[in-house]
Amino acid sequence: MTQQKYIPNHVAIIMDGNGRWAEQRNQLRASGHRAGLKTVRKIVAHAAKMGIKVLTLYAFSSENWKRPANEVSALISLFNYALNREIKNLNKNNVRLNIIGDISKFSQNLQNLIINAQRLTLNNTGLVLNIAANYGGRWDIVQSARKIATQVLNGKITPQDINEDYFASMTCMYTLPEVELIIRTGGEYRISNFLLWQSAYAELYFTNTLWPDFNQVSFDEAINIFNTRERRFGGVLNEELPC
């Protein structure tokens, strides 16, 4: 009897390879990012159809500001475009949009778009779509530490009150299921400051496929590989622990 495939509750993706995809075609890197947006649409729809509860996409890291100014500008413009164009469709399909990261670095107009998009989809009960924008795992941990330090200084808690659960409650996405699978496209083998706290026990899946070429079949393959992994969480699988 074939064992039923387990669908992870929370999948996160580092969408890498847009620029190289464009360069291979003698196109501007910005065209690769536009092609990548088409892949986002496909994967979001597929994840929702599969029954995945949370999908987190690494769209713009806190380190991406170091890229050439024209590419950064193209990325920000594409983010504006996506919010304006895609939000109604996401809302129609019961997707709840959540932006994680330091949005204060964006223009006021973009910040307003983000706030309005989140407000529009707040009560949706389907897939939760997290877009990491101006996000970094270290930033997430540092801002959490600052919140806790402020609470200690204000006398609301003592240092003895701080444990892993309390610290986690200050991080991004703390109300959501922990990340079970991280996918990185583009052939790199690192997580690049992405969800450092939330992915402590996530399975990692790397593929050489560039993000614009990643599709539903590619996504299914990642889930299939995930299902071959033995997830022990520091324990022992299928063996009795000693008394």
Side-chain angles (χ1 to χ4, degrees), residues 236 239-243:
V236 178
E239 293 183 28
E240 289 187 5
L241 292 174
C243 297

Side-chain angles (χ1 to χ4, degrees), residues 6-45:
Y6 174 75
I7 302 300
N9 289 308
H10 189 164
V11 177
I13 305 179
I14 301 172
M15 306 179 292
D16 194 18
N18 291 335
R20 281 172 286 156
W21 183 91
E23 289 169 353
Q24 288 176 3
R25 291 158 177 77
N26 295 316
Q27 299 174 7
L28 295 175
R29 289 175 64 87
S31 68
H33 296 304
R34 288 193 293 272
L37 178 58
K38 294 179 181 178
T39 299
V40 169
R41 294 190 191 109
K42 296 175 187 175
I43 297 304
V44 168

Side-chain angles (χ1 to χ4, degrees), residues 22-77:
E23 289 169 353
Q24 288 176 3
R25 291 158 177 77
N26 295 316
Q27 299 174 7
L28 295 175
R29 289 175 64 87
S31 68
H33 296 304
R34 288 193 293 272
L37 178 58
K38 294 179 181 178
T39 299
V40 169
R41 294 190 191 109
K42 296 175 187 175
I43 297 304
V44 168
H46 191 57
K49 185 177 180 181
M50 291 178 72
I52 289 170
K53 293 182 173 66
V54 184
L55 180 66
T56 300
L57 303 179
Y58 206 6
F60 188 87
S61 77
S62 50
E63 288 79 25
N64 284 159
W65 296 105
K66 300 173 185 177
R67 293 188 177 190
N70 61 340
E71 185 174 355
V72 171
S73 179
L75 282 167
I76 299 300
S77 295

